[in-house]
Amino acid sequence: MRYPSGRHFLQIPGPTNVPDRVLRAIDRPTIDHRSPEFGRLGREVLSEIRRIFKTRHPVIIYPASGTGAWEAALVNTLSPGDRVLMFETGHFATLWHRMATRLGLRAEFVPGDWRHGVDPAVVEAKLAEDRAREIKAVCVVHNETSTGVTSRVGEIRKAIDRAGHPALFLVDTISSLASIDYRMDEWGVDVTVAGSQKGLMLPPGLSFNAVSDKALAASRSARLPRSFWNWEEMLEANKTGYFPYTPATNLLYGLKEAIAMLLEEGLENVFARHDRHAEATRRAVRAWGLEVLCLNPAEYSSSLTAVVVPEGHSADQLRQVILEAFDMSLGSGLGKLKGKVFRIGHLGSFNDLMLAGTLAGVEMGLELAGVPHRRGGVQVALDYLAQQAASAKEREPCSAA
């Protein structure tokens, strides 16, 4: 058996690398979740997390994966037989649609090619056609983790407003929150769905619903069954920092530290860092002579890049070669993209040198796996990163002599 030295490169688009500060915060003795100490922790986390969503509205935290937050968003706002508008932007949008159908909703699924985001013009047209106002919610995945395509949430909100439609606006930010600019209140989102294991730099295990006043009003008449996911019970207990059932105590310690790290860096700086790493990655991909899956530059993801392998070659075989030779995990193609793409995650606790190592592993792996490509993608990315670093240095204010 061969034990790899050094640290494993976890470059899937989530779960992401957990920084040492967060690991140390989690590594504390578990406390009584009914104690005054826990109440203080709960109040602080529930207040500060709103800043990450850019909202004044309450954020509900569940001990669950992002899939749980999907279900919570649907069952708290809708009733059996309600019509909802959803869009086929990728694998996770497809899973959300499947859930809605299983819950007894009439989910209209607008077909897509998995290479584009939601078209605001289509949203406006679909809502304008709904003269009876049967559509109760518009559900959109902000950043589709399976494709590296980001939908333009602000423009979709404007499309809903132009149609003058009262539908709720539900947005999945599982792989965009704390990685890509997101403005819940400014963009008029009613329910934001999120998870802990990506931009928030935590292990899996926490999920979130940020909830507008309009969504809360809808929840009072919604008739889908709910118990564990009930917003009302959560919000009542959250007033004093507690939860109606056992919370993920140690993950909340980690969340407190993760929020502190994000605010210390500054959210705009966090977004700029992700933008920089995404652009460097795309430049490397093009230099290799490979194709980025996303076709619209306005919809490029800053969380991950999905790369199309040439016809006749297997993305899964390439990933296996890279894992065995360089101890690096890349994201697989999901659903209809299985074997056709690999995904490079560049989100969360990540810096320029980590990206350089990631791209070096990909370039060496392409050579070992015999995938046709041009050499030099890593150097192109390094040149771009160095240029960006020099520009940032020039923008720094001069220190006093």
Side-chain angles (χ1 to χ4, degrees), residues 371-395:
V371 176
H373 70 288
R374 296 190 298 266
R375 296 181 179 181
V378 174
Q379 188 59 57
V380 169
L382 295 181
D383 291 344
Y384 172 76
L385 292 173
Q387 177 189 24
Q388 293 297 301
S391 297
K393 187 70 174 175
E394 290 175 0
R395 292 193 296 270

Side-chain angles (χ1 to χ4, degrees), residues 101-281:
T101 302
R102 287 173 174 171
L103 290 171
L105 299 169
R106 289 187 295 146
E108 179 181 350
F109 202 35
V110 179
D113 63 1
W114 292 38
R115 304 192 73 170
H116 293 85
V118 176
D119 185 343
V122 174
V123 175
E124 184 175 357
K126 290 285 186 182
L127 294 179
E129 291 170 2
D130 180 33
R131 293 182 177 86
R133 298 299 190 250
E134 291 183 339
I135 296 173
K136 301 303 181 184
V138 175
C139 303
V140 169
V141 175
H142 183 206
N143 185 76
E144 178 53 71
T145 320
S146 65
T147 65
V149 177
T150 302
S151 290
R152 293 160 282 163
V153 174
E155 294 181 35
I156 295 168
R157 174 74 261 175
K158 291 177 182 176
I160 297 171
D161 292 344
R162 284 194 299 269
H165 202 286
L168 294 166
F169 191 20
L170 279 55
V171 178
D172 167 347
T173 66
I174 290 172
S175 62
S176 61
L177 188 75
S179 302
I180 300 172
D181 190 15
Y182 181 74
R183 313 170 191 180
M184 177 171 168
D185 289 1
E186 182 180 332
W187 292 343
V189 177
D190 292 302
V191 185
T192 300
V193 171
S196 59
Q197 73 276 18
K198 298 182 188 282
L200 288 175
M201 306 178 291
L202 289 159
L206 295 180
S207 65
F208 307 84
N209 278 177
V211 183
S212 75
D213 292 339
K214 182 178 176 181
L216 283 174
S219 73
R220 298 185 188 105
S221 59
R223 292 182 289 104
L224 279 174
R226 57 189 186 267
S227 177
F228 179 86
W229 306 115
N230 194 319
W231 285 348
E232 184 178 2
E233 292 181 3
M234 288 287 280
L235 290 171
E236 183 61 33
N238 286 172
K239 289 177 181 177
T240 51
Y242 298 100
F243 293 76
Y245 42 71
T246 307
T249 306
N250 287 57
L251 286 179
L252 293 176
Y253 277 129
L255 178 59
K256 176 183 175 181
E257 191 66 28
I259 294 170
M261 292 176 68
L262 290 166
L263 296 179
E264 286 169 16
E265 184 175 356
L267 282 179
E268 301 312 311
N269 294 327
V270 171
F271 302 146
R273 170 167 57 83
H274 283 76
D275 292 345
R276 182 175 73 248
H277 292 154
E279 177 60 25
T281 301

